[in-house]
Amino acid sequence: MSSTGDSPATASAPAEGEAGAQARGKAGTGEGGGAGAETGREAIVRAARRAFTLRPYAEVTMRGIAAAAGVSPSLIVKRFGSKEALFNTVVDFRAAADELFAAEPPTLGRHLVLTMVELRDRLRGDPLLRVVFSLGIEDERTLLRARFREQVTDRLAAALGGPDAQLRAELIAGQLLGLGATLSLHRPDGAGAHAGAERLADLYAPGLQRLIDGP
């Protein structure tokens, strides 16, 4: 995973599309800084998250990510430095975990469901599912799962405490992944897409809360 450039076989793109991406990056996603700067970063991370989930690391190119994000490749280099640095950003679950676990145990179950739905809307994708569906080689998948365990499951287990804390944390993480997979599987016309976050929490949170509370 030390490669930082685009391979000739996978980096090809129509010149017009690349020029358009560069123009959009400067005009619409904050290449020059200011209010749009964070929007540009989020677009890059979102595009990279999708790219690294759907394709092996070696097949992902900076140029392809730039085109998907609507920015110039030079902006990605400016913000992240290299493809490897961008990959390391994508496999970091800490920001999502900070939001998911920002509630006390007695109300955590409902908070988890509401926050998952909110994060999916804001990020335009699930914050956790890439740990399951990543198509990277074994080293990449191992790193992704190790980060998930450390930053999500183990962190939750430490917060839960009590009997079987690690097991309960793993089951809770699995249920969150299941919720994300269900919402993704049945979009855009499934019942979950029309239920609303509060109704989803009414139905899904009690099971999570039982695991949080423990025996």
Side-chain angles (χ1 to χ4, degrees):
M1 293 187 301
S2 60
S3 171
T4 59
D6 294 335
S7 64
T10 57
S12 59
E16 183 178 351
E18 183 176 346
Q22 291 172 346
R24 289 191 300 273
K26 294 176 182 177
T29 53
E31 186 163 348
E38 184 61 24
T39 301
R41 186 183 189 281
E42 290 173 353
I44 293 167
V45 171
R46 184 165 55 248
R49 184 181 294 121
R50 179 172 177 80
F52 286 121
T53 298
L54 297 178
R55 294 191 298 278
Y57 178 90
E59 295 181 8
V60 175
T61 68
M62 299 281 263
R63 190 173 300 172
I65 292 172
V71 303
S72 66
S74 63
L75 179 60
I76 301 182
V77 174
K78 178 181 178 181
R79 293 280 173 83
F80 297 94
S82 67
K83 187 171 83 167
E84 186 172 8
L86 182 55
F87 176 79
N88 284 328
T89 299
V90 167
V91 299
D92 194 323
F93 296 95
R94 285 175 295 186
D98 286 344
E99 296 193 50
L100 285 167
F101 302 146
E104 294 300 315
T107 59
L108 183 57
R110 189 172 191 87
H111 174 82
L112 286 171
V113 177
L114 295 175
T115 304
M116 275 288 292
V117 174
E118 193 276 330
L119 284 172
R120 286 174 56 86
D121 289 343
R122 191 197 328 151
L123 300 175
R124 301 183 200 173
D126 194 278
L128 304 179
L129 275 181
R130 60 191 183 277
V131 75
V132 177
F133 295 112
S134 174
L135 296 180
I137 62 173
E138 186 59 34
D139 286 348
E140 296 155 23
R141 292 196 302 269
T142 298
L143 173 61
L144 193 65
R145 291 170 186 176
R147 291 277 181 88
F148 185 89
R149 173 178 287 276
E150 172 190 351
Q151 297 170 357
V152 178
T153 311
D154 291 351
R155 176 176 171 178
L156 178 57
L160 293 178
D164 297 320
Q166 188 69 32
L167 174 59
R168 286 155 51 215
E170 290 177 7
L171 292 172
I172 292 166
Q175 290 204 27
L176 290 176
L177 291 170
L179 175 61
T182 298
L183 294 175
S184 295
L185 180 64
H186 297 288
R187 67 179 182 187
D189 299 322
H194 303 290
E198 293 292 339
R199 183 55 179 158
L200 287 171
D202 289 343
L203 295 171
Y204 208 80
L208 290 171
Q209 193 63 48
R210 282 195 292 272
L211 289 169
I212 293 165
D213 294 339

